[in-house]
Amino acid sequence: MMTYWLDANIFITAKNSIYAFEVNTTLWAWLDSQLRAKVVMSPARVYREIMEFKKDDPLKQWAITRKDVGLCAEPGKEVSHCLTAIANYLYTTTIPGKKSKKSELRYKPAQVEVFSRGADAFVIAHAMACKGTVVTFESDHCPDSQKIRIPDICAHFQVPCINLRQLLIALNAKL
């Protein structure tokens, strides 16, 4: 069974759009059922990002009751190995086609530090470890961007990466 690993921006963007809790309860009920079935999951880092919201935030309230059903997956040994591979790649990859005596790093160390502290690397590492798919709203439209983006890292490690619409279609969701 394929596991889909959701980035925090899936929950946040949905909450702040036409899928707001006050407007569309069906998406949230569907996500709940998919979490309980372990079809969709999120790393503990995503859960922690959501827990930083205000006490009365509806997403935070929704997430609290789903912590133990796939919304707060802790990393195991295989995920740790994948995180190391991601970090090694980010700290050592150079800009392709650069013709100079000294190779220029693709990502600045400060960018790597910020990326590594957030949830994005964990989303990718969990998907890598279980041969799953990453679900994010981040775009792959600027391949030369200096910002570290989930789709770029997924492409390098050959981890499938889709958005919420593609997830809903893949899982034949009827909202």
Side-chain angles (χ1 to χ4, degrees):
M1 170 179 74
M2 172 68 70
T3 304
Y4 296 88
W5 290 89
L6 278 59
D7 182 18
N9 72 19
I10 292 296
F11 299 107
I12 297 164
T13 302
K15 172 192 83 131
N16 294 332
S17 71
I18 62 168
Y19 296 111
F21 287 94
E22 307 81 10
V23 177
N24 187 324
T25 58
T26 56
L27 173 73
W28 301 100
W30 180 82
L31 280 172
D32 179 66
S33 70
Q34 299 305 303
L35 282 164
R36 291 180 190 284
K38 304 286 190 234
V39 174
V40 301
M41 298 183 75
S42 283
R45 284 286 176 104
V46 166
Y47 181 81
R48 285 194 278 265
E49 282 185 12
I50 295 170
M51 290 302 105
E52 292 174 8
F53 293 6
K54 291 183 215 167
K55 188 169 107 175
D56 63 343
D57 185 282
L59 178 57
K60 181 175 183 172
Q61 297 306 312
W62 183 85
I64 286 170
T65 61
R66 285 149 185 91
K67 179 181 181 183
D68 297 325
V69 293
L71 195 55
C72 188
E74 292 292 345
K77 185 186 277 188
E78 186 60 33
V79 171
S80 294
H81 291 303
C82 294
L83 285 166
T84 299
I86 292 168
N88 288 340
Y89 169 72
L90 293 174
Y91 278 112
T92 61
T93 190
T94 56
I95 297 174
K98 215 41 166 164
K99 294 185 180 177
S100 67
K101 291 182 180 181
K102 186 179 176 191
S103 304
E104 189 177 339
L105 290 175
R106 171 103 157 66
Y107 302 111
K108 294 178 177 35
Q111 292 172 307
V112 177
E113 288 295 324
V114 169
F115 184 83
S116 299
R117 281 195 306 267
D120 293 354
F122 284 83
V123 173
I124 299 165
H126 276 276
M128 284 172 65
C130 75
K131 310 246 183 296
T133 296
V134 169
V135 184
T136 185
F137 278 123
E138 286 190 18
S139 168
D140 62 353
H141 290 307
C142 300
D144 295 329
S145 172
Q146 291 301 304
K147 181 183 182 301
I148 302 171
R149 295 170 315 125
I150 290 173
D152 298 335
I153 307 308
C154 285
H156 174 78
F157 288 101
Q158 299 178 335
V159 174
C161 184
I162 62 176
N163 61 35
L164 180 59
R165 178 181 174 275
Q166 292 166 315
L167 172 70
L168 294 170
I169 291 168
L171 296 179
N172 199 28
K174 303 295 180 209
L175 305 178

